[in-house]
Amino acid sequence: NAPKGPLPSLQSPATQPAPLKWHPLQKSPDFGPIQRAVVKRPSNHRPRKGRPQRGSQPRAAHPLIGQVLPVEITGLSHDGRGVGRHKGQVIFVEGALEGERVDALVIEGNAKALLARLQSFPEESEDQRVTPHCPHYQTCGGCNLQHQKHEAQLQAKQKRVLQQLSRWADVVPSQLMSAITSSAYGYRSRARLVVEWQSKSGPILGFRQRGHKTVVALEQCPVLLPEFSELLPQLQALLT
């Protein structure tokens, strides 16, 4: 008579082989080696604009980079740069003011605009330009219009707002209220400071350098409230 129940295994649990485990990055005993699928694009495929294609050549540098150009400044951008034109192309000059004729060194450029640094003043705006009060102004990126008189800053900002209203909303106010004013210095009650470790000097407390990620160490900040500016050396001492 045949025994009842399931047949006993011919191998003991210790001698039974372990179940096969398949990993997507390994060869599979069931499916064979994995192959990468190759997708062929149709012959009429057009690459999306604005994205560099694989194997494309890098763009050549703008031919005006490194040259000093005479520029007449006709306005200010939203970030305080002087705006002018060179042979019809827009050029932004850092440190220039409206109404000035300057010599500018081109440092960046593309088909739409050029970016330049101020080199000299053939015609300086004496009624607008002043000496910056902050000793860190040339390197610190916290402020960008301390070289312009406070009253001229208000007029430039008001002009900028009116231009945007006219351009984007087709609105021309019939009457303007007087601008809300405050002291040119010692008015800011909030600031975001950055701490950076530098190999030579250790931890540095300050603001980002203009146009860079490097931190500029601050001993004072005339724009902050006086009681806040006085805390900068103390905070720096705590870090060291």
Side-chain angles (χ1 to χ4, degrees):
N1 295 332
K4 297 181 179 181
L7 295 176
S9 175
L10 299 179
Q11 295 179 343
S12 62
T15 60
Q16 290 183 1
L20 295 177
K21 295 183 178 180
W22 176 74
H23 191 276
L25 300 181
Q26 297 176 350
K27 293 183 178 180
S28 169
D30 299 328
F31 305 103
I34 299 175
Q35 297 181 358
R36 179 180 297 178
V38 178
V39 180
K40 293 184 178 181
R41 295 177 177 176
S43 58
N44 60 350
H45 171 74
R46 294 183 179 180
R48 183 177 298 179
K49 294 182 179 180
R51 289 188 176 182
Q53 299 300 309
R54 182 177 299 178
S56 61
Q57 297 296 329
R59 296 182 179 180
H62 198 282
L64 293 179
I65 293 179
Q67 297 188 22
V68 178
L69 307 176
V71 183
E72 181 179 359
I73 306 301
T74 58
L76 290 178
S77 65
H78 69 281
D79 56 357
R81 297 175 181 176
V83 181
R85 288 187 178 272
H86 175 75
K87 295 182 179 181
Q89 189 173 23
V90 177
I91 180 170
F92 297 94
V93 184
E94 185 176 347
L97 295 176
E98 183 176 357
E100 295 182 330
R101 293 180 181 270
V102 301
D103 293 331
L105 174 64
V106 180
I107 57 176
E108 294 182 19
N110 53 35
K112 295 183 178 181
L114 300 173
L115 179 61
R117 292 175 181 171
L118 186 64
Q119 291 291 103
S120 60
F121 302 95
E123 292 186 16
E124 184 178 357
S125 178
E126 298 181 356
D127 58 336
Q128 296 188 62
R129 185 169 293 275
V130 293
T131 302
H133 185 66
C134 179
H136 310 287
Y137 179 70
Q138 298 300 328
T139 55
C140 179
C143 301
N144 53 17
L145 279 177
Q146 281 195 22
H147 59 281
Q148 187 180 34
K149 289 184 179 179
H150 184 60
E151 296 77 10
Q153 291 184 34
L154 296 177
Q155 296 176 5
K157 293 175 181 179
Q158 185 181 63
K159 180 180 179 180
R160 182 69 180 174
V161 172
L162 294 177
Q163 289 175 346
Q164 296 300 314
L165 286 175
S166 176
R167 179 179 180 181
W168 299 108
D170 196 21
V171 173
V172 180
S174 59
Q175 185 179 1
L176 297 177
M177 300 178 62
S178 58
I180 301 175
T181 61
S182 63
S183 175
Y185 298 98
Y187 65 90
R188 184 174 295 179
S189 61
R190 179 181 299 179
R192 179 178 296 178
L193 301 173
V194 183
V195 178
E196 179 184 64
W197 176 269
Q198 297 183 359
S199 58
K200 295 182 179 180
S201 55
I204 295 297
L205 176 72
F207 293 125
R208 298 285 185 188
Q209 185 177 347
R210 185 173 302 170
H212 298 274
K213 294 183 178 180
T214 305
V215 176
V216 178
L218 298 181
E219 299 177 358
Q220 58 173 315
C221 181
V223 177
L224 291 177
L225 292 173
E227 53 269 30
F228 289 172
S229 180
E230 294 173 357
L231 292 176
L232 294 177
Q234 302 178 33
L235 294 175
Q236 178 64 51
L238 290 175
L239 294 175
T240 56

